[in-house]
Amino acid sequence: MFSIRHPSSVICRPSSVICLLSSVLLLLASCKPRTSPQADQPLATESPAFSADSAYAFVAKQVSFGPRVPGSQAHGSCMEWMVATLRNFGAEVMVQKGLAKIYDGTVLPVQNIIARFQPEKVNRILLMAHWDSRPFADQDSDPVKKDFPIAGANDGASGVGVLMEIARQLGQKPATLGIDIILYDLEDYGVPAHKDIEWKADSWCLGSQYWAHNPHIPGYFARYGILLDMVGAPDARFTQEEVSRYYAKSVVDKVWNTAYQLGFGRYFPFDQTPQLIDDHRYVNEIIGIPSIDIIHQDPTTESSFPTTWHTQEDNMQHISRETLGAVGKVVLAVVYVEK
Ligand code: AHN
Ligand code: ZN
């Protein structure tokens, strides 16, 4: 027989200070809040096959325009491509145009892309991502690189790429519910960290704030919303973020249990991570549609985001077909199970 020992007792001599420290760290790590999987989540039997290759190609296509910085030619060309492609997949597409004030007071146009499948249906699900890319690489370790815009392969393009592939599938085989896909502009124009300017929460997510105050249909509602943000890294871990848990716990449970049952538990651990500012926050707070964020948070980095976040390393070299596929298959399964 053997007894269960605390793991640190295996490797430690009790007198060592370092050892004590590492035991405390181990203990803390093992105490991080977790929920647990439920294996009775109903699974869609008729959910179509999500193509990870296709999603990857949609990410690469966006990046090929160059950084989609609001006001740039790449931004305009990418928008034309997204609108035409979504129309081609059978969606009813509109571009919501407005104005928003960025952190320094400059007023910029907002262009939110709204693609509706089966717009006549009353019961709807809202899927979201942001399509703009950050004008600065303010988290890059190289000061020379900070003033240049990022490729945003993960931060922006990955979420849009997965939603474009979902749109392609919805066009071929309609879901039972109506689906709205909103691609928000101006998510990533928040206060630059490398300038001496005070950080302001509301300087982010200007496109979603605009939409939440001016929905494309007065009184618009959906059963729930799912936001995809930074869903392309090879080592991505999608943890249960606090705003999502607070406003939409049942959606969090549904998505994480579906991932577990489809065998994607490695990407969707049942770990709880702190709140963050992202587009879902305004959809929850202003419109009241219970919405979650599927976002890669990394508790080991100072920013809490992946190491390529807001750096020049956020490029196609750090995009994984497998991760895009895991996210796409989970979201498709969730969408197609709804009646
Ligand atoms: C914060 O920086 C607190 N939130 C930003 C969320 C984000 C930026 N997602 C992508 N880029
Ligand atoms: Zn960003």
Side-chain angles (χ1 to χ4, degrees), residues 54-101:
S54 173
Y56 183 90
F58 291 140
V59 179
K61 176 72 182 181
Q62 293 167 75
V63 172
S64 77
F65 289 107
R68 282 82 60 219
V69 172
S72 69
Q73 202 174 49
H75 186 258
S77 308
C78 185
M79 182 175 84
E80 278 176 33
W81 170 74
M82 290 187 295
V83 169
T85 307
L86 290 163
R87 282 207 178 116
N88 205 20
F89 294 155
E92 218 164 84
V93 185
M94 60 185 278
V95 179
Q96 178 183 54
K97 291 178 193 279
L99 295 171
K101 213 181 254 187

Side-chain angles (χ1 to χ4, degrees), residues 154-206:
N154 195 30
D155 192 355
S158 66
V160 173
V162 169
L163 293 185
M164 298 288 281
E165 172 59 7
I166 287 178
R168 192 173 75 88
Q169 300 296 341
L170 288 168
Q172 289 175 17
K173 185 181 181 217
T176 306
L177 266 54
I179 309 295
D180 299 301
I181 294 177
I182 305 191
L183 308 176
Y184 295 117
D185 199 2
L186 276 172
E187 187 274 344
D188 234 347
Y189 226 121
V191 176
H194 65 309
K195 307 233 171 93
D196 193 19
I197 305 171
E198 199 191 340
W199 191 85
K200 268 209 323 263
D202 287 355
S203 66
W204 304 86
C205 308
L206 300 180

